[in-house]
Amino acid sequence: MAALQEKKTCSQRMEEFQRYCWNPDTGQMLGRTLSRWVWISLYYVAFYVVMTGLFALCLYVLMQTVDPYTPDYQDQLRSPGVTLRPDVYGEKGLEIVYNVSDNRTWADLTHTLHTFLAGYSPAAQEDSINCTSDQYFFQERFLAPNHTKFSCKFTADMLQNCSGLVDPDFGFEEGKPCFIIKMNRIVKFLPSNGSAPRVDCAFLDQPHELGQPLQVVYYPPNGTFSLHYFPYYGKKAQPHYSNPLVAAKLLNVPRNTQVAIVCKVMAEHVTFDNPHDPYEGKVEFKLKIVK
Amino acid sequence: MRQKRSEIYSVELSGTEDIVRTDQGDDKEKYRGLKNNCLERKKKNHEEEFQKELQLDDHKLSNTELEKKYGTNIITGLSSTRAAELLARDGPNSLTPPKQTPEIVKFLKQMVGGFSILLWVGAFLCWIAYGIQYSSDKSASLNNVYLGSVLVLVVILTGVFAYYQEAKSTNIMSSFNKMIPQQALVIRDSEKKTIPAEQLVVGDIVEVKGGDQIPADIRVLSSQGCRVDNSSLTGESEPQPRSSEFTHENPLETKNICFYSTTCLEGTVTGMVINTGDRTIIGHIASLASGVGNEKTPIAIEIEHFVHIVAGVAVSIGILFFIIAVSLKYRVLDSVIFLIGIIVANVPEGLLGTVTVTLSLTAKRMAKKNCLVKNLEAVETLGSTSIICSDKTGTLTQNRMTVAHLWFDNQIFVADTSEDHSNQVFDQSSSTWASLSKIITLCNRAEFKPGQENVPIMKKAVIGDASETALLKFSEVILGDVMEIRKRNRKVVEIPFNSTNKFQLSIHETDDPHDKRFLLVMKGAPERILQKCSTIMINGEEHPLDKSTAKTFHTAYMELGGLGERVLGFCHLYLPADEFPETYSFDIDTMNFPTSNLCFVGLLSMIDPPRSTVPDAVTKCRSAGIKVIMVTGDHPITAKAIAKSVGIISANSETVEDIAHRLNIPVEQVNQRDAKAAVVTGMELKDMSSEQLDEILANYQEIVFARTSPQQKLIIVEGCQRQDAVVAVTGDGVNDSPALKKADIGIAMGIAGSDAAKNAADMVLLDDNFASIVTGVEEGRLIFDNLKKTIAYTLTKNIAELCPFLIYIIAGLPLPIGTITILFIDLGTDIIPSIALAYEKAESDIMNRKPRHKKKDRLVNKQLAVYSYLHIGLMQALGAFLVYFTVYAQEGFLPHTLINLRVEWENDNVNDLEDHYGQEWTRYQREYLEWTGYTAFFVGILVQQIADLIIRKTRRNSIFQQGLFRNKVIWVGIASQIIIGLILSYGLGSVTALSFTMLRAQYWFVAVPHAILIWVYDEVRKLFIRLYPGSWWDKNMYY
């Protein structure tokens, strides 16, 4: 089979390639004449236009079938996630370290809180209504302006000592920092059967070697999310909705050691034992206050 | 003729020098030059031996000179001690088996073929990518490591499988190899001893009797009626007489040398060993074979070509997107990861295994039809074969002398030469036939071996030479129990055939109790017999033999001889009872009985007839566009006759000589172009340049090469290969083995074939039936077509698997399908369906089209790649994306919210990512949705692959012409696809490591319209191809 293994020299190959690029005898470029190229391009353009059109049509139909107010399925959102502010992440999850005596170390942390709470200023909450009931705020119909539903106000001052209004340092300076806990929104989610969900923070590995349980002051009092913030009807129905918050002021965090703290949301329909999801129904963070 | 022969063989013996000389004279002959490189290398190794062989003059020496030369004594033989010394010096008298590749090397070779290289490169790229990722982020995902390992695993498993398959067929082979160790009767220390033939040394005096194999090259010292069968060496089916006289200058032609591995048919011979082991003539031929390199199989070349295409596509898409990624401000390191990812994603992981399994399935199917494939890749080679160079003896013919024609009553009768002789239709009523049959029966020394009562006549073993055997079987079939007839006609005396008399004679009592006369019967060379006759029997009556009857005799004799048949004359004489009474004592030495003025009865001609299946097979090869060339060592007349009878030379085509004969003009004046057929002898071939040979091969449709040497067979095969043909060579003898090896596919005969031939071959015909080759061609062509389909099927989804990644890079969507999920498609759901395509029936009569052109008709051509990638692949990608978007949209992420979401989506530190509805998602919740997306995309591809599978059933015909349900395996494939998909989604949906989730049932149907669209689009494509053959559409869309 000598003929097959015929070795071509480099120049021969180049020449062949050149001839492939432009063949003067047949007027072919890259194996096709110009008119052939036009034809084949036209075919492909047409083909892809049709295919894209079909795909766009499919997507259009899909969009038409999707309900604008509520998602069709909430398979993944059985139980809400819980997040913490300030949110500084280390190698593994939330890790907050600061030096009481060096305000540069916590300036960022308090700044984060201030920015976060800016969304809860009375001005930002202007379009929401005041709610006082401690029952679920069901709204069947769109009674709010612009065919929407009402949202309840949650203003920063409800967090009292942790609102940043009274103490702009959020207790960081005195070593009793405030952390704000937020529960994720889920459309039409009801956290419990009547009692308000409550945040409960504690050392992760109780009994702690220091012997003392974590002392926490919650704002609003008892660390509850009032039921009138639920259910959430979605962005389109409640454009002004803001998540209710709970602030936890940690009073007896030991100095110079890293402690792990978990804040759980205690409610019947909120689970916090999913082994795969560390943020479902609870938030864990490590805290080290240096003095 | 005799003269010519000698010169041919001198070419072989002095081959190297001869060819080197021609080559120096003609440097332009590139190919010859190439061949010579290898020969030259060999020459250096064997120079001494060749020198020695050239000087082989033992046949010219007298007995005493021989004794002196080999230090032996003709009467007493060698002494045991001297023999032991010589044995130590020369080594055992056996052919060095061809160098066996060590098993481990064979095993490793399975893992470095063209395809495997692709996977290896992919695997290493994966690990490099992981290395890069790891260096920048210690918690990098291990996906790339898994992927790399899976690729390696695939290579290894496939290698193991292929190795196992080939080892299995090698085992079948080796069962043939079990041979009873040969014994030799040798005179040593003045004693006759039986020793294993391996221990023979030069100078040994050996005795060989009828039925034995010649244990070494021996110089005949004395012989009694010895005839040898040299067919394994030269291809001559006629027995050759052997005696002690020096009759020819050429050692191969002279009568006083017998060659190793040939068989002594009858008589006895005593001779001196002059060459042993590898130094024998046969040893030299065998070593020729080992000097010929193995060629790449056509399918291996095709797969290499395919790998080039895939690699080209992979690298160009990779680089394109690398540039895009860099210009989209991705970090260069990430872009490199993308580049590697894209290249690896293009590797069709499952294809290597699929191709191997498909080939072995066909190999299995062929083995059932008695084609044993030694090398898996050779399965396809027969399909691309465009020239078959077939040996004659044993391949095209039955390799046994058989009565073909009879002449009596001035008429030629045709005898049935089929394998079982069952149908003898000639007129048996004439009383001449009665006399003739009596002579045939009585004047015959051959006998059936005892204990074969239940064996069909034609298969019974016989003691006696080939022509006597033929006559015995012929008469046994027609007359019944020959031994009984002979018993009734007791033999009184006989003179066996010898080369001086050229006749055989015996005198019998008759079976008629009232007839006291003796019957003298004689057979022999026709002209010799005719001389002894004065009358001729016509219609049972004796007529005087006059000129006109003699003329008819000659005409018949010439006609039968012209058919390449061996003609025997028969005559008889009833001895007058008064002169030869019952008590008369016959004496063969004084010949006290008449041997002239006999009565001529008839002629009978024999030939080694073609196998009955061959003519049909040759016709089929013809219609399949395959040229069948006969290459034989036998005489041109016989070769031509056989070629005509099997159709290698068709009935109405003539050679130059035929035309010259018909027009009664000299051969030189005949227009070469008028002749369609050519018979070329080795002698003529010797004087040809390779251009001339090329010209012959190109110009004549029907070619017979006769009296060729093994070396010339090689030259012929090379000549054919120069015509860009894929050449199959069939053969059985040692002399064929170099050509078998040189061929693109060597086909050896399983029963008659020698070990050397079987070793050199790629395929073994277990039933020695040339017709099995046709099956092989059919299967080979089918597998080529079906591999195209399999590859098209497999390549299609590659785009559907690659697009998500591209979109992920460009548009920043959450990754639509993960690496592991892709692996589950490539190595899970798609494997059985792609193998199922191997069971697809041919679309049209594949035996009626020309063999593919090995440089033009590629396995994977541009059209196939373009159609799979840019048409169906793209449609599939869109369909799968639709499922993906549907799942995300119904969970809250509408398509437009997904764009450029990638960075946030993948950020572990964002646990309140908002969707379209304002809901907030933790990282794990998103990840789970991402897996659901993977599963959805997987299901999308799966559903459309079902459509892809169905459209790939045919390339030109409509599915409805092909029959949707004819190939049941396709449906097994589809079922397997669905079942594996269900198991992955619902059974293993809870195993997080596999990233499958339980998908809602309705998502299985989202891609169904797309699947139907694919089917419709392909039907339209096929419709236009059928409607407008040769059109622009056909050229661009037919793969």
Side-chain angles (χ1 to χ4, degrees), chain A residues 1 4 32 43-44 48 66-67 72-76 79 85 89 182 184-185 187 235 243 277, chain B residues 301 721 744 866 870-871 890-891 909 911-912 914 917-920 922 925 928 1000 1002 1017 1036:
Chain A
M1 212 176 315
L4 253 197
R32 281 198 175 87
Y43 180 78
Y44 275 94
Y48 287 137
V66 168
D67 185 327
D72 294 343
Y73 301 114
Q74 293 174 303
D75 298 327
Q76 272 71 255
S79 177
R85 299 292 186 288
Y89 287 85
K182 185 189 78 152
N184 282 352
R185 294 189 290 248
V187 170
K235 207 155 114 190
N243 297 29
D277 192 350
Chain B
I301 293 169
Q721 283 172 339
D744 294 289
V866 166
L870 296 184
H871 294 225
Q890 296 207 314
E891 293 283 355
N909 301 341
N911 280 296
D912 48 0
E914 250 184 70
Y917 295 96
Q919 307 187 98
E920 290 167 319
T922 66
Q925 286 164 344
Y928 198 83
R1000 285 171 184 277
Q1002 72 262 33
Y1017 180 66
N1036 283 293

Side-chain angles (χ1 to χ4, degrees), chain B residues 426-494:
Chain B
F426 64 92
D427 179 21
Q428 296 170 14
S429 56
S430 160
S431 53
T432 318
W433 163 246
S435 303
L436 183 60
S437 63
K438 195 164 249 179
I439 309 171
I440 294 169
T441 317
L442 297 180
C443 187
N444 189 336
R445 286 160 26 108
E447 284 175 25
F448 289 112
K449 282 186 182 163
Q452 311 186 77
E453 283 73 21
N454 297 322
V455 185
I457 296 171
M458 295 316 290
K459 294 208 170 121
K460 283 185 186 175
V462 176
I463 311 170
D465 83 3
S467 42
E468 296 230 304
T469 305
L471 294 173
L472 173 65
K473 287 184 174 171
F474 179 66
S475 45
E476 177 90 4
V477 167
I478 295 176
L479 303 172
D481 194 345
V482 170
M483 302 319 273
E484 183 55 38
I485 299 174
R486 289 200 199 153
K487 231 180 259 169
R488 278 189 269 129
N489 299 276
R490 196 180 63 85
K491 191 190 288 174
V492 183
V493 74
E494 85 175 339

Side-chain angles (χ1 to χ4, degrees), chain B residues 28-44:
Chain B
K28 279 172 281 175
E29 285 176 49
K30 192 170 170 189
Y31 302 115
R32 276 199 118 154
L34 273 177
K35 186 169 67 64
N36 272 319
N37 289 342
C38 106
L39 279 173
E40 220 143 20
R41 181 165 41 78
K42 219 163 88 82
K43 185 187 156 201
K44 268 166 204 145

Side-chain angles (χ1 to χ4, degrees), chain B residues 155-294:
Chain B
V155 176
I156 292 175
L157 284 181
T158 317
V160 168
F161 177 78
Y163 172 76
Y164 169 74
Q165 286 298 325
E166 291 190 3
K168 228 168 54 180
S169 52
T170 315
N171 282 346
I172 301 178
M173 289 284 308
S174 58
S175 66
F176 282 105
N177 291 346
K178 278 176 209 146
M179 288 229 295
I180 309 139
Q182 209 192 325
Q183 300 288 322
L185 187 63
V186 65
I187 301 174
R188 279 189 191 168
D189 305 324
S190 321
E191 277 176 58
K192 281 192 185 177
K193 288 180 192 170
T194 304
I195 62 165
E198 280 198 357
Q199 292 177 12
L200 284 181
V201 294
V202 169
D204 264 332
I205 309 298
V206 289
E207 277 182 23
V208 184
K209 59 180 192 309
D212 288 350
Q213 227 185 18
I214 309 289
D217 281 359
I218 57 175
R219 158 76 156 80
V220 178
L221 299 172
S222 64
S223 84
Q224 271 144 7
C226 171
R227 295 218 268 171
V228 291
D229 173 12
N230 273 356
S231 64
S232 76
L233 196 63
T234 61
E236 283 168 300
S237 20
E238 265 183 57
Q240 311 286 311
R242 280 295 178 262
S243 60
S244 58
E245 308 116 56
F246 160 54
T247 57
H248 203 286
E249 282 288 321
N250 189 304
L252 274 149
E253 290 298 310
T254 184
K255 280 188 180 167
N256 59 357
I257 291 186
C258 295
F259 297 103
Y260 182 36
S261 89
T262 60
T263 322
C264 175
L265 292 173
E266 57 176 4
T268 56
V269 63
T270 308
M272 182 188 295
V273 176
I274 52 172
N275 271 322
T276 60
D278 291 332
R279 289 166 300 279
T280 56
I281 297 291
I282 211 82
H284 279 289
I285 295 175
S287 69
L288 254 186
S290 60
V292 175
N294 250 334

Side-chain angles (χ1 to χ4, degrees), chain B residues 790-821:
Chain B
T790 301
I791 290 177
Y793 171 77
T794 312
L795 281 189
T796 304
K797 62 157 190 288
N798 249 24
I799 280 296
E801 291 165 352
L802 185 66
C803 279
F805 196 57
L806 304 182
I807 300 291
Y808 164 82
I809 295 173
I810 295 177
L813 303 182
L815 190 62
I817 187 163
T819 312
I820 294 178
T821 325

